[in-house]
Amino acid sequence: MSLSILAIESSCDETSAAVCVDGKILSNIIATQAIHAEYGGVVPELASRAHIQNIVPVVDTAIKKANISLANVNAIAFTQAPGLLGSLLVGTQFAKSIALALAKPLIAVHHMQAHVLANLIIEPAPQFPFLCLTVSGGHTQIVLAHSPLNLEVLGETIDDAAGEAFDKTAKLLGLPYPGGPLVDKYAQSGNPHAFKFAQSQVPELNFSFSGLKTSVLYFLQKQPPNFAAAHMNDLCASIQYTIITMLLHKLQLAVKQTGVKRLCIAGGVSANKGLRHAFETLGKEKGWETFIPPFEYCTDNAAMIAITAYYKYRANQFSDLSISPSARASW
Ligand code: KG4
Ligand code: ZN
């Protein structure tokens, strides 16, 4: 008998639903909320409202695209933590309602665990153990994956996440939210060594990105008006180079400490072309086996929730209907 899972992701500003059958993703529908660009960042109240508007059509499309009937689904999975509480509540309540109505088991998924396991969606998937650099808008972590359900955080950011470093510096350059993809775009035609910005030094496998933001701010304050617009490509390339250098430096340290030479990247920032290229180039030079998820599985998506739920189902890790979402959650 095949194992079908319907998964829902609503932790931030993407409403997504996916269907996974026997570990294969049959659909992954993502509705992005454009409204936040007007406000320069995600407005939690507006995100919750947009999830309420989007969730029915998104789930319906995912089911139809997978060509299955809801009655044949074996379990309902959802992102339980971490994220914006109001956003998580929409997905949680929706998942619970379907589980209750269909008398199907419920599977709660940790968003950061799911980002790591996005690397298992595409064949060939990495063997265990592997190291994963997870870089998103809310988190930056180096994770040692012993098995799908045994992930160990070796280091993380002590202040801003890598995605925040992209978005906040982009804002200083006058770019709209979310600035990360735009920095990526302009950086492609810029010189990464045109400007030098601060690289914070923090111990062990942890990261700090708040110094970079301050360094860019002080630099721009000393420049004439319109400087950023006139040097956009070089500024973006230099900022991106600084962030990538800090990330890959710690990844090399993690390889040294663990002896693990199988490496993955995950999270929204792993969609960055500069990071993907630098990661693969460094991997070749060092003799690492490298894995990068396709773009649609890097930024927030329900396929990664579905694949995580697939492993949790096989390990009998279910939740009951009393479960609540949590804005913050340790592993
Ligand atoms: O994983 P994600 O979709 O959501 C969170 O869980 O946070 O990550 C979103 C972050 C944002 O900061 C966004 O600017 C960044 O990922 N991002 C990028 C790129 N695409 C998304 N940053 C740099 N280059 C990109 N191409
Ligand atoms: Zn995410």
Side-chain angles (χ1 to χ4, degrees):
M1 203 191 80
S2 66
L3 168 55
S4 307
I5 294 170
L6 168 67
I8 293 163
E9 151 67 31
S10 71
S11 64
C12 191
D13 58 343
E14 251 96 30
T15 318
S16 181
V19 172
C20 155
V21 176
D22 293 333
K24 301 270 168 285
I25 301 300
L26 298 193
S27 62
N28 180 39
I29 307 300
I30 304 168
T32 301
Q33 304 174 1
I35 184 144
H36 306 289
E38 289 172 35
Y39 299 90
V42 177
V43 183
E45 167 77 16
L46 296 179
S48 309
R49 285 169 188 244
H51 282 306
I52 288 171
Q53 281 171 351
N54 294 341
I55 200 151
V56 172
V58 164
V59 170
D60 192 43
T61 309
I63 293 280
K64 285 190 176 128
K65 189 166 176 214
N67 203 18
I68 62 158
S69 125
L70 204 48
N72 293 334
V73 161
N74 298 95
I76 316 295
F78 67 100
T79 306
Q80 188 253 338
L84 299 171
L85 194 59
S87 292
L88 289 165
L89 272 165
V90 178
T92 304
Q93 290 310 112
F94 198 80
K96 279 193 199 182
S97 308
I98 302 177
L100 183 65
L102 299 179
K104 304 285 180 181
L106 196 59
I107 302 175
V109 171
H110 192 289
H111 183 84
M112 297 311 293
Q113 179 178 16
H115 268 307
V116 175
L117 298 193
N119 281 284
L120 302 185
I121 294 175
I122 295 292
E123 297 287 339
Q127 301 285 304
F128 290 90
F130 64 80
L131 283 168
C132 184
L133 171 70
T134 315
V135 272
S136 74
H139 296 82
T140 299
Q141 296 182 325
I142 294 181
V143 172
L144 174 56
H146 299 280
S147 69
L149 303 180
N150 183 5
L151 307 183
E152 183 187 352
V153 179
L154 301 182
E156 55 196 330
T157 183
I158 58 164
D159 43 51
D160 289 348
E164 273 179 293
F166 271 103
D167 296 340
K168 288 180 177 175
T169 50
K171 198 169 181 176
L172 296 173
L173 301 179
L175 297 173
Y177 178 87
L182 292 168
V183 172
D184 189 357
K185 186 179 128 201
Y186 290 116
Q188 284 168 52
S189 322
N191 172 9
H193 304 291
F195 307 105
K196 201 166 164 46
F197 297 115
Q199 291 186 29
S200 306
Q201 306 295 332
V202 278
E204 298 171 355
L205 298 178
N206 295 321
F207 299 92
S208 166
F209 290 103
S210 61
L212 168 64
K213 184 184 54 192
T214 315
S215 159
V216 172
L217 175 68
Y218 289 169
F219 173 81
L220 290 174
Q221 280 173 347
K222 285 188 221 129
Q223 308 307 323
N226 298 325
F227 181 87
H231 297 85
M232 191 57 84
N233 294 347
D234 284 348
L235 283 165
C236 287
S238 302
I239 290 168
Q240 182 170 295
Y241 173 80
T242 311
I243 296 172
I244 294 172
T245 305
M246 284 195 271
L247 292 171
L248 295 185
H249 168 67
K250 291 296 172 125
L251 204 52
Q252 289 178 77
L253 214 57
V255 172
K256 222 181 233 173
Q257 280 187 18
T258 60
V260 174
K261 292 189 169 183
R262 204 174 290 121
L263 283 95
C264 300
I265 53 175
V269 178
S270 65
N272 182 271
K273 291 190 191 64
L275 175 60
R276 293 164 90 93
H277 179 71
F279 173 67
E280 281 184 330
T281 307
L282 182 67
K284 276 197 191 108
E285 190 188 306
K286 301 275 179 192
W288 301 344
E289 214 183 329
T290 54
F291 299 84
I292 307 180
F295 285 103
E296 67 168 316
Y297 303 138
C298 288
T299 46
D300 288 348
N301 67 89
M304 68 185 193
I305 307 301
I307 195 81
T308 307
Y310 168 72
Y311 288 99
K312 291 191 95 167
Y313 188 104
R314 296 194 331 176
N316 279 314
Q317 292 188 10
F318 300 107
S319 299
D320 65 39
L321 288 167
S322 65
I323 191 164
S324 315
S326 170
R328 294 186 181 280
S330 54
W331 298 67

